[in-house]
Amino acid sequence: MQIPLLYSNGLAIFLQVMNAIITGGAGFIGSAAVRYAVKQLNWNVLNVDKLTYAGNLLSLTEIDTLPNYRFLQADICNAPLMRQTFTDFQPDMILHLAAESHVDRSIDTPADFIQTNIIGTYTLLESAKTYYETLHGEKKEQFRFVHISTDEVYGSLELAANFNPLFTETTAYDPHSPYSASKASSDHIVKAWFHTYGLPVVITNCSNNYGQYQHPEKLIPKCILNALAGEPLPVYGDGNNVRDWIYVDDHVKAIVAAAERGRIGETYNIGARCEKSNLEVVETICKILDERQPICSPFSIPHSQLITFVADRPGHDKRYAIDPSKIETELGWRTVESFETGIIKTVDWYLSHQIYQNHEQVKPPST
Ligand SMILES: NC(=O)c1ccc[n+]([C@@H]2O[C@H](COP(=O)([O-])OP(=O)(O)OC[C@H]3O[C@@H](n4cnc5c(N)ncnc54)[C@H](O)[C@@H]3O)[C@@H](O)[C@H]2O)c1
């Protein structure tokens, strides 16, 4: 969208304002993307979200009355509505984050994952393609479909880091869970719409995120909230499965870099070079909580005594680790937050947002 700025001499210059559809913008990462795009980038944002159990409009209260933000409660699988939404909003880009995202739920109820992650992505691609074909000139050149995906599509690395390469953009896909298989499928379909129909897509594959407003079914919030309630901190297996952790705001800035400067048809892996075992993560949270909020009991035990090892998840991937060299060198993106600073921010955020402390307890945790 172009906004004219008029001067007293009658001259006008035009400011280009980005119109962006963000799907899944009431979710954990989507809401961070919406807050950043609306407040920091001044984009016009249309948030398209079905508001499943994972959607949380409280995560958007700081921006939801701003004039450059709109919300549409809708299912991305609704083809006529998605087509109409593209026509009405005339986006310059779409950041597609709507998904079913919880590995354990995908094992119990895979149908939702097939529907939203595969059929939903296909539906959006078709709507975007129909819309893209109506565009001309600069608006057409500028348009991007940015598909946000996960490192889990690459499968599992061995634990001994010395003997294993990291995931790069050319690592073969080898998904193991219904969640990662549905995301892998959607990645392939997105690539097909680029190669076959020339839709200008960019794909990002990111490692595990943490930060504010994450649903309490995921490892880090679950651990914080259970510890505060004096409840067991369930850790899968021996706790040695390794994940590569990135602070959510760093991920969002990487998505924006890929959207604004990424090469069409390319994949960018996003990660913070921060491998930690699940047990290390839980123990770090316990240490921070010991300082912030010692357990009030006659014996004042450390929070780590709440750690409880539970039966492992079926097909639990051992290790994920991303090589982010491509996005760093090509797009100049870098993380701002280290795990040490990011995890303190995150624990402090949950401590100061009491509403989350009453959230339903969902067991066991997911990474
Ligand atoms: N969380 C992570 O660590 C991580 C890491 C890498 C990539 N990703 C990817 O990032 C994206 C966002 O992840 P998240 O953790 O924020 O997920 P989330 O589960 O917190 O949020 C998903 C959002 O999508 C919405 N949604 C679900 N189905 C929908 C549908 N059919 N139509 C419209 N909206 C729908 C939900 O209401 C929710 O607001 C996902 O695509 C996920 O695969 C996540």
Side-chain angles (χ1 to χ4, degrees):
M1 186 172 71
Q2 290 198 320
I3 296 182
L5 279 185
L6 281 172
Y7 291 97
S8 52
N9 61 5
L11 282 179
I13 58 160
F14 289 88
L15 275 186
Q16 187 68 35
V17 178
M18 192 64 74
N19 271 359
I21 291 178
I22 300 183
T23 69
F28 165 47
I29 304 169
S31 67
V34 168
R35 292 191 300 272
Y36 184 66
V38 169
K39 261 201 342 198
Q40 311 297 323
L41 304 176
N42 286 315
W43 289 0
N44 284 318
V45 171
L46 176 66
N47 174 9
V48 176
D49 196 299
K50 183 179 171 183
L51 294 183
T52 66
Y53 79 94
N56 174 10
L57 290 178
L58 287 177
S59 61
L60 298 164
T61 45
E62 67 188 77
I63 53 96
D64 66 6
T65 54
L66 295 179
N68 58 331
Y69 171 73
R70 274 182 267 170
F71 176 63
L72 174 68
Q73 183 171 2
D75 187 335
I76 57 165
C77 301
N78 182 338
L81 182 56
M82 288 306 108
R83 268 199 306 275
Q84 192 60 49
T85 301
F86 274 82
T87 307
D88 293 346
F89 190 68
Q90 295 284 305
D92 301 300
M93 71 168 65
I94 171 161
L95 307 183
H96 173 36
L97 293 108
E100 290 292 338
S101 70
H102 187 45
V103 175
D104 292 332
R105 285 181 193 260
S106 84
I107 295 168
D108 295 340
T109 52
D112 291 344
F113 290 71
I114 303 301
Q115 184 64 20
T116 288
N117 299 359
I118 304 177
I119 305 296
T121 301
Y122 156 73
T123 306
L124 281 176
L125 285 165
E126 277 294 84
S127 306
K129 173 174 161 279
T130 305
Y131 164 73
Y132 180 66
E133 285 164 357
T134 67
L135 299 180
H136 303 282
E138 208 182 319
K139 183 100 178 162
K140 187 160 197 162
E141 266 170 41
Q142 203 179 36
F143 183 77
R144 296 287 181 277
F145 186 111
V146 185
H147 176 64
I148 285 72
S149 192
T150 166
D151 61 356
E152 300 192 27
V153 299
Y154 298 123
S156 182
L157 295 164
E158 289 302 317
L159 285 177
N162 292 345
F163 302 105
N164 282 288
L166 306 175
F167 295 137
T168 71
E169 289 78 1
T170 55
T171 301
Y173 275 32
D174 184 21
H176 294 157
S177 72
Y179 163 65
S180 54
S182 67
K183 292 296 291 186
S185 251
S186 66
D187 293 5
H188 289 310
I189 294 168
V190 171
K191 285 176 201 175
W193 260 242
F194 163 66
H195 289 292
T196 309
Y197 304 112
L199 190 71
V201 308
V202 178
I203 296 171
T204 62
N205 292 87
C206 187
S207 60
N208 276 55
N209 284 224
Y210 66 98
Q212 57 189 29
Y213 291 113
Q214 189 167 27
H215 192 282
E217 68 189 357
K218 302 285 170 67
L219 177 69
I220 288 180
K222 178 171 191 63
C223 176
I224 298 168
L225 298 177
N226 277 20
L228 288 175
E231 302 240 329
L233 309 181
V235 173
Y236 273 137
D238 56 10
N240 285 329
N241 298 61
V242 169
R243 301 294 181 257
D244 188 355
W245 292 96
I246 184 169
Y247 191 64
V248 64
D249 292 348
D250 280 328
H251 181 194
V252 166
K253 286 174 192 151
I255 293 170
V256 169
E260 290 184 331
R261 306 190 294 283
R263 282 183 292 141
I264 290 171
E266 290 289 321
T267 292
Y268 294 91
N269 278 358
I270 303 168
R273 294 195 173 86
C274 176
E275 291 185 53
K276 304 259 175 229
S277 73
N278 289 345
L279 190 56
E280 268 180 285
V281 169
V282 176
E283 283 173 341
T284 304
I285 292 168
C286 288
K287 276 195 198 122
I288 300 168
L289 284 174
D290 286 344
E291 288 164 16
R292 298 281 194 277
Q293 200 150 329
I295 290 182
C296 295
S297 80
F299 312 107
S300 187
I301 57 163
H303 287 87
S304 58
Q305 288 197 13
L306 297 170
I307 294 172
T308 308
F309 294 98
V310 298
D312 212 350
R313 167 194 286 162
H316 199 179
D317 287 339
K318 284 186 186 143
R319 173 177 163 243
Y320 304 137
I322 281 273
D323 177 359
S325 308
K326 180 174 171 183
I327 189 164
E328 288 174 346
T329 50
E330 229 180 76
L331 306 183
W333 167 85
R334 292 281 186 287
T335 54
V336 173
E337 215 67 62
S338 67
F339 187 73
E340 289 66 34
T341 58
I343 195 69
I344 287 175
K345 267 190 186 179
T346 304
V347 172
D348 284 343
W349 186 87
Y350 280 95
L351 283 174
S352 61
H353 287 72
Q354 296 289 329
I355 186 164
Y356 276 83
Q357 296 181 24
N358 301 323
H359 212 289
E360 87 181 287
Q361 302 286 301
V362 187
K363 290 176 184 165
S366 171
T367 52

